[in-house]
Amino acid sequence: MVTENQTTILGLDIEGAFDNVNQRIIIDKQHKELANHSVRWWIAEFITNRTISVKVGQYWSSERKVLKGVPQGSALGPVLWNYTIGNLHRAISMDPRTHSMLIYADDITVVAHGSKHQETQRIIDNIIDYLEGLSLRVNPTKTEQLTIRGPSNPRPRSDMTAKLTIRGEVIRQCQHITLLGITINEELRVELKENEYLASRVKNNQKLLRHISNHQIVTDNQEWRTLIKSMITSVTTYNILPMLAVDSKARAWCNSVHDKTLLNTFKWPHNTPLKVIRTIADLQSAEEILCAQLAKGVTNDGHRL
């Protein structure tokens, strides 16, 4: 018998996502929900009055009207996407003790605790039905599932893996999955080598901090602390805080990134003691941040971590 000591994470891939949004659905929805607001006419004009053309060498094709989708590069594009699928979490019924759904832009993640695979399959089917009603399709070949098992579950992975499907096609089991840009593995450890997105953000932010320092754009200590916290600490630590509780290597990586950022930004000698670096910068280690957040959890809940 498969034990309840397992969690399945499913990352659903919406084919085309922003490019396949049905414009008529957005227009009809806003005319119903924003009937007394003139912004509905502006939005309708924004998404329907768009054209594209192709350039080959020195030659341009004639313009063609864009009949579906919302522009990804615009500030309004993600807002309209969220507006399109905004009722998804209300439309899908589930027991919060065993299932949850996370939605961020076009990333839809279903988390299933235990072995109630029939219920998980029902939720997946309902999500697919809802999205198809919006002219959106879930791509089964790009959808992935990751199974995390507890230390007391002795069964082989092949016996405990849920055989979940999308329209009859089995969802691929993988050894790591990406959630909001963070790649984790089946042991709930952060896959630092696989996190190109995370590494790129850290590198770009470090470069920007050096630029700010070199040009003396910021000189106030408190402003520097705020910058470092928002550009480095939030990216490397707060975004992966749940995994840091069980992943000592990830905690060591966070601390190393913080230390190197400070050394390079302010051009301090590389033999400067880490304790001095953190004292001067008033920077908490990953362990200290984790403990503080856990303590806050105890305070807020009153009885548990």
Side-chain angles (χ1 to χ4, degrees), residues 10-295:
L10 296 121
L12 304 181
D13 181 86
I14 302 178
E15 196 172 80
F18 284 61
D19 293 333
N20 285 327
V21 171
N22 188 315
Q23 297 176 349
R24 175 51 55 186
I25 289 176
I26 296 179
I27 293 172
D28 290 344
K29 184 179 180 182
Q30 67 169 349
H31 274 289
K32 292 178 182 178
E33 299 179 0
L34 303 174
N36 297 321
H37 205 301
S38 59
V39 72
R40 69 187 191 277
W41 302 112
W42 186 88
I43 293 175
E45 180 72 11
F46 174 77
I47 62 176
T48 59
N49 191 22
R50 295 165 50 226
T51 60
I52 60 172
S53 60
V54 179
K55 183 181 180 182
V56 179
Q58 301 179 14
Y59 301 97
W60 286 89
S61 70
S62 58
E63 290 187 346
R64 294 288 186 273
K65 195 167 185 177
V66 178
L67 301 178
K68 64 178 180 178
V70 292
Q72 292 194 48
S74 68
L76 193 56
V79 175
L80 291 174
W81 168 264
N82 291 337
Y83 182 67
T84 303
I85 68 167
N87 292 325
L88 174 59
H89 67 287
R90 299 188 187 93
I92 309 300
S93 62
M94 62 182 71
D95 186 342
R97 295 172 298 180
T98 59
H99 291 82
S100 57
M101 179 167 56
L102 311 174
I103 305 175
Y104 183 79
D106 59 341
D107 290 331
I108 299 177
T109 304
V110 176
V111 181
H113 304 290
S115 55
K116 296 183 178 179
H117 301 327
Q118 289 184 339
E119 176 64 8
T120 304
Q121 184 63 60
R122 180 194 68 82
I123 291 171
I124 293 173
D125 292 341
N126 288 348
I127 292 173
I128 293 171
D129 289 342
Y130 184 88
L131 292 175
E132 288 181 350
L134 298 175
S135 303
L136 297 170
R137 177 178 179 272
V138 175
N139 189 336
T141 61
K142 291 186 177 181
T143 294
E144 300 176 328
Q145 72 175 47
L146 174 73
T147 300
I148 300 173
R149 58 177 180 172
S152 62
N153 194 333
R155 304 290 293 183
R157 289 187 177 88
S158 59
D159 289 350
M160 62 177 293
T161 301
K163 298 299 188 293
L164 302 169
T165 64
I166 294 178
R167 294 295 186 248
E169 189 167 340
V170 176
I171 299 174
R172 180 168 57 94
Q173 177 73 18
C174 59
Q175 294 182 339
H176 52 77
I177 196 167
T178 301
L179 301 175
L180 301 181
I182 307 299
T183 304
I184 61 173
N185 62 25
E186 53 198 353
E187 295 178 347
L188 202 57
R189 301 295 197 270
V190 182
E191 290 278 1
L192 297 172
K193 293 182 180 179
E194 299 290 337
N195 273 292
E196 295 181 5
Y197 170 76
L198 182 60
S200 176
R201 283 195 66 187
V202 169
K203 184 178 180 181
N204 290 338
N205 287 354
Q206 286 175 328
K207 184 178 179 180
L208 182 57
L209 286 171
R210 287 196 300 270
H211 176 81
I212 293 172
S213 176
N214 291 338
H215 292 81
Q216 298 182 346
I217 298 172
V218 173
T219 57
D220 181 75
N221 290 340
Q222 186 56 47
E223 289 183 7
W224 269 115
R225 293 189 186 100
T226 301
L227 273 176
I228 292 170
K229 185 175 182 178
S230 64
M231 298 179 67
I232 300 297
T233 308
S234 65
V235 174
T236 61
T237 306
Y238 288 104
N239 283 1
I240 60 174
L241 204 58
M243 280 71 74
L244 293 183
V246 295
D247 194 342
S248 59
K249 290 184 178 179
R251 293 197 298 270
W253 174 79
C254 289
N255 291 332
S256 175
V257 169
H258 295 165
D259 297 336
K260 290 179 180 177
T261 298
L262 291 170
L263 288 173
N264 294 331
T265 298
F266 301 112
K267 299 179 181 179
W268 292 339
H270 284 266
N271 60 352
T272 304
L274 299 183
K275 188 174 182 179
V276 174
I277 294 174
R278 291 173 185 165
T279 299
I280 296 174
D282 192 23
L283 177 70
Q284 290 181 308
S285 66
E287 291 81 3
E288 290 171 329
I289 293 173
L290 180 61
C291 288
Q293 291 300 310
L294 289 174

